[in-house]
Structures are given as structure tokens and as C-alpha cells.
Amino acid sequence: MIWDRENECRPRADLRRLQNERLRETLARVYETMPFYRERFDAAGLKPRDVCSQAELARLPLLTKNDLRDHFPYGLFAVPLKEVVRVHASSGTTGKPTVVGYTRQDLETWAEVMARLVTAAGVTAEDVAQVSFGYGFFTGAFGLHYALERVGATVLPVSGGNTERQVETMLNFGSTALICTPSYALRIAEVMGEMGIDRSLLRLRWGLFGAEPWSENMRREIEARLGIFATDNYGMSEIIGPGVSGECQERSGLHINEDHFLVEVLDPDTGQPVPEGEPGELVFTSLTKEAFPVVRYRTRDISKVTLEPCPCGRTTARMARVFGRTDDMLIIRGVNVFPSQIEEVLLAVEGAEPHYQIVVERSGALDDIEVQLEVSERTFSDGARKMFTLRELVEHRLEVALGIGVRVKLMEPGAIERSQGKAQRVVDKRKL
Ligand code: DLL
């Protein structure tokens, strides 16, 4: 099913024209109303009318999270606060959170773009959708909530946490779609096991997961444990929240809502565009947002984008699942490693559990990592010899996949902390 055929299946030449038109409008508006952007245009010797397409857009500087923090809380709102009907904020593990606002029209846009993705993932008015993201400043729950209502699904606003209650709700209310982070889905499956509830008792069919990086092997694991069809969806508070892109049933990339968000893929070091299909950092410009427009926002997320047509019929560009964030990238003896690459290896190992953490330390001038991986009850009780063989195997596979030797520590079942939202995969002891 396609929610909005006109906008999701538009011929690419028409889409380009629409994007350029909206880009011009956005730039003219930020120039007129926001001193921050006007200064940037002036410094680049540009007027909004000089920017007629993406090529000229590249002459404007990139917008960073620090720029947003410097204007905390409302400094980059483009409309008076009385026109803002909702505020969200991203947690901001370091320093101030970033604050974003929505006009009534922005909320309308958000529900609409997210409704496309919810539909692409398989959810319809027949479904009972359990939203297990935390309701609050985080955009995940509200973003999915209004879109699910819009497609007519029956929404259960359970919010995050209290995992036993999540399982009871699935059981008692007949949830057919689960909405949360992939790591929390796994935790829910685990607690279901502890409660002695078999998945055949559930009506669950769909899993709509996002908000953190995950691997294809993680998808298989969750699908097997919960008996569902799982899709990935992506977004971030600064751009709108969830709703930027999501997978269709083909699951070969996440369709970007390009009529609202213009994407560039840049080399994170040089800021230059990479060729189509090559990995780079995603940079977005909002094309329709009123309260919080962003021009060339650096996401720090690494992915690649293809314009190849998708068999589903949508013509929008597709991005590969996000490999990770540039700030999560580990440089181990000169080799770039993303936690998701490590995850891909760990989750393919028999006898290991899908719970792990990567501890980064500094030994001398070099960074050193230790991968801590939980083993199954069975492996654990099989004794030292079995554990030794398993450790050797995991170390070997990691070396083959990453091209560097990595120390592995096997942990007893339950030793790694579980997440109810975004999992913390990397423990960086260098900063402690
Ligand atoms: O996580 C928005 C969201 C909520 C997306 C629910 C999908 C579902 P923030 O809290 O601002 O917003 O965090 C944004 O999370 O820059 C990525 O690094 C990461 N992220 C989000 N979705 C994915 C995904 C929400 N599907 C940051 N895969 C982004 C990988 C993701 N990383």
C-alpha cells in the first residue's frame, strides 16, 4: 500500500522542480526573518535568489549541533512563540539539549510524512499499534502516535519502560504492531521468555523500529523471537523527528521523504559531495518547515543514497541503514570501525546472546577496545573449555571482518545492562 501516491511516486524531474521551488522559498524566508541565516548568506556573498538549485546550495556553510546549542532554547525559531504549538528536545548527553518547535502546519506535515512510512511498513487501519517509545521531549512516541492515528490504526500509548507491562499489554490488548527501538524490542522478547509467554499467544505482526543503529542480523534475531516483520525508520529531532525516511516492504533501503527534506551526502572531512551510492555524512535541508527550518544540517550519520527505482513503485531516493554516527566511529589502530559492524559479527555467532558492549580505553597513545559479549545459559553452563573455544571463534571472526585484532570478553547471562530506549553500545573510558 502507498499512502500518498502523488508525492511518493512523482517522476524525478518533477520532484527536482518541486524541491528547487521549495528550496527557494525556504531560503528567502530564513533570509528575511532570521539574522543567523542572513549573516551566513552575507558572509558567503550570496542572496537567496542566487540559489536556484542544489549545486549553489553548497556555497552555504553547514549547520551544526553547536550552532543550535548556541541559540538555546528558542533562538533559531523562525516564527514567534505564539505560533509554536509544540516543543521537543533531544536529550543532549553532553551540554544543553537542542530544542525544536512546530507550528500547527508543521505537526500536520509531520503526521503526513510519518503516515507514509507507517503505511510503507505494512500498518493499516486494521492494526493495533503499541507505542513503546517514551512519551516526552523525545520525538519518537509523538511522531509515531499521530501518524498511526492518521492511518486509522488503534493506538496504545503505552510509553517506554515497565517491560512486564509491555508484554501484558501485547497479550491482553492484542497488539499487532510494536513501535520502539530495536534494542528494546529485544528486551521485550527476553522478558516475554522470562514470563513464560510463548510468542504464539501474541497477535504481533509488525515491528517498526528506529532511533538507533542496528544490523541485519539484529533484525533477524528480533523477527525470530517475536514472530514479526520488522522495518527500519529514521529521523532526528532537528529535522522533524521520525519521518525523514523509512523502509517499504522490499526492505532495500529507507525511502526519504524528499519533497520535504533535501538530502546531500558529503565527505565528513572535506565537506565535498561523494558520488551517488558512496558512503558519506547525511546533510539535510528542510523544504517546508515553518517553526524550525534547517539549512544544511550536519547529521553526523553515515549512510549512502541511491536514486535507483524501487520495485514498490515509490520514486524517492533510498538511503542505506545508517552504519553509525561519525562521533561513534572508533579508530582502532588507524582502522575506522562502527559499532554496528561489530554487532553484525556478534549476532551471527551460535551460543552468544544479542547483548554486547564495546569498552574503549586508552593504552599509551593508542585506543584499545574490548568487546564484552553475553553468552547463552547453555554455553555458560557448558564450562570453561566451551567458553574458550567460543571466545577464540568470536575474536577470529571479528579480525576477519574488521581487519584488526580485538579482545573479546565473554560475560555471564544478564551481565550487560538492558536498554528501554536507545542502547548504549560504546562505553568510552577515555573520557572518564
Ligand atoms: O531518534 C528520532 C526517531 C525516533 C527516529 C523514533 C526513528 C524512530 P533523536 O533523538 O534526535 O531523534 O536522535 C537522532 O538517532 O541522528 C541517528 O544517529 C539516530 N537514529 C535515528 N533513527 C535511526 C535509525 C530520533 N533508524 C539520531 N538507524 C540520528 C540508525 C538512527 N540510527
Side-chain angles (χ1 to χ4, degrees):
M1 274 248 300
I2 296 182
W3 175 255
D4 178 354
R5 195 165 282 281
E6 184 191 339
N7 282 308
E8 294 179 77
C9 307
R10 190 182 264 118
R12 287 211 61 88
D14 294 355
L15 174 64
R16 246 327 147 232
R17 264 194 298 278
L18 179 68
Q19 285 182 314
N20 288 341
E21 197 179 298
R22 290 181 168 176
L23 179 63
R24 276 196 300 275
E25 282 165 15
T26 297
L27 296 181
R29 197 156 50 84
V30 298
Y31 185 83
E32 289 309 320
T33 60
M34 302 174 76
F36 173 83
Y37 282 110
R38 181 186 287 253
E39 279 166 25
R40 299 189 142 211
F41 270 91
D42 292 347
L46 277 176
K47 291 273 183 266
R49 63 167 180 277
D50 300 332
V51 183
C52 296
S53 70
Q54 280 191 49
E56 293 104 29
L57 184 65
R59 290 175 56 193
L60 285 171
L62 298 168
L63 179 69
T64 65
K65 203 168 181 97
N66 274 341
D67 293 324
L68 308 188
R69 288 200 176 123
D70 289 347
H71 293 83
F72 176 88
Y74 303 139
L76 288 182
F77 284 15
V79 299
L81 210 51
K82 77 174 189 341
E83 288 174 36
V84 173
V85 296
R86 175 101 61 79
V87 166
H88 281 282
S90 79
S91 50
T93 36
T94 50
K96 294 174 197 156
T98 46
V99 179
V100 298
Y102 303 76
T103 62
R104 206 172 290 287
Q105 177 57 43
D106 289 333
L107 291 183
E108 178 64 29
T109 305
W110 192 13
E112 204 48 37
V113 289
M114 192 64 229
R116 296 180 189 170
L117 305 183
V118 162
T119 305
V123 174
T124 67
E126 305 293 323
D127 282 290
V128 178
Q130 178 163 337
V131 180
S132 305
F133 279 129
Y135 282 76
F137 271 137
F138 174 56
T139 52
F142 283 100
L144 268 295
H145 181 108
Y146 287 104
L148 289 160
E149 281 187 359
R150 183 159 293 213
V151 306
T154 308
V155 180
L156 309 176
V158 188
S159 200
N162 195 342
T163 312
E164 292 199 356
R165 193 174 58 129
Q166 301 284 353
V167 177
E168 282 156 12
T169 307
M170 292 197 302
L171 202 58
N172 297 335
F173 291 71
S175 312
T176 59
L178 177 64
I179 288 90
C180 57
T181 57
S183 56
Y184 194 45
L186 206 52
R187 175 63 185 153
I188 291 176
E190 187 178 42
V191 170
M192 224 169 81
E194 287 163 14
M195 291 166 75
I197 290 167
D198 189 83
R199 69 176 167 86
S200 61
L201 297 171
L202 304 180
R203 291 185 56 217
L204 218 52
R205 292 179 67 198
W206 313 112
L208 277 61
F209 304 128
E212 66 181 8
W214 51 315
S215 61
E216 209 45 49
N217 281 336
M218 175 74 122
R219 163 150 47 204
R220 269 184 228 120
E221 189 76 35
I222 298 172
E223 288 191 323
R225 290 184 185 213
L226 288 173
I228 55 172
F229 185 87
T231 48
D232 188 12
N233 68 89
Y234 165 87
M236 80 195 49
S237 328
E238 294 84 350
I239 309 300
I240 200 159
V244 175
S245 67
E247 285 178 325
C248 64
Q249 305 272 298
E250 301 289 331
R251 300 196 294 192
S252 62
L254 291 79
H255 287 276
I256 302 173
N257 280 312
E258 282 183 286
D259 49 335
H260 295 275
F261 314 107
L262 184 68
V263 66
E264 296 173 79
V265 189
L266 306 182
D267 178 322
D269 297 325
T270 64
Q272 293 304 310
V274 300
E276 188 195 322
E278 294 294 315
E281 179 177 345
L282 301 175
V283 168
F284 286 101
T285 297
S286 66
L287 296 175
T288 51
K289 274 179 64 205
E290 295 182 341
F292 196 79
V294 285
V295 177
R296 305 199 82 208
Y297 183 68
R298 286 191 83 140
T299 62
R300 304 257 167 217
D301 292 323
I302 301 291
S303 178
K304 49 189 183 183
V305 171
T306 174
L307 302 179
E308 293 281 307
C310 180
C312 75
R314 291 174 184 83
T315 51
T316 41
R318 281 168 294 152
M319 55 182 257
R321 60 166 66 250
V322 170
F323 308 134
R325 296 177 53 81
T326 49
D327 27 16
D328 281 347
M329 188 178 78
L330 305 164
I331 305 179
I332 316 292
R333 296 188 284 286
V335 178
N336 298 352
V337 176
F338 284 106
S340 59
Q341 290 173 279
I342 296 181
E343 176 179 299
E344 191 75 22
V345 173
L346 301 182
L347 267 75
V349 175
E350 184 97 19
E353 286 292 295
H355 305 293
Y356 69 94
Q357 232 166 18
I358 301 160
V359 182
V360 190
E361 273 172 304
R362 173 144 300 166
S363 68
L366 292 178
D367 289 340
D368 191 24
I369 64 169
E370 177 178 85
V371 173
Q372 302 184 339
L373 173 66
E374 252 182 59
V375 297
S376 62
E377 278 301 344
R378 171 118 186 260
T379 312
F380 194 65
S381 55
D382 278 347
R385 185 120 174 234
K386 200 65 183 271
M387 294 274 277
F388 181 79
T389 320
L390 182 65
R391 184 164 58 84
E392 298 261 285
L393 173 76
V394 180
E395 284 182 345
H396 173 70
R397 291 210 187 154
L398 283 172
E399 182 157 7
V400 171
L402 308 176
I404 42 157
V406 167
R407 201 169 61 246
V408 171
K409 184 174 178 188
L410 297 182
M411 314 286 282
E412 63 182 295
I416 306 272
E417 201 186 330
R418 306 293 191 257
S419 92
Q420 301 188 338
K422 298 183 191 236
Q424 203 195 342
R425 301 296 190 194
V426 178
V427 181
D428 195 340
K429 292 198 168 162
R430 292 170 305 184
K431 293 181 195 145
L432 296 179

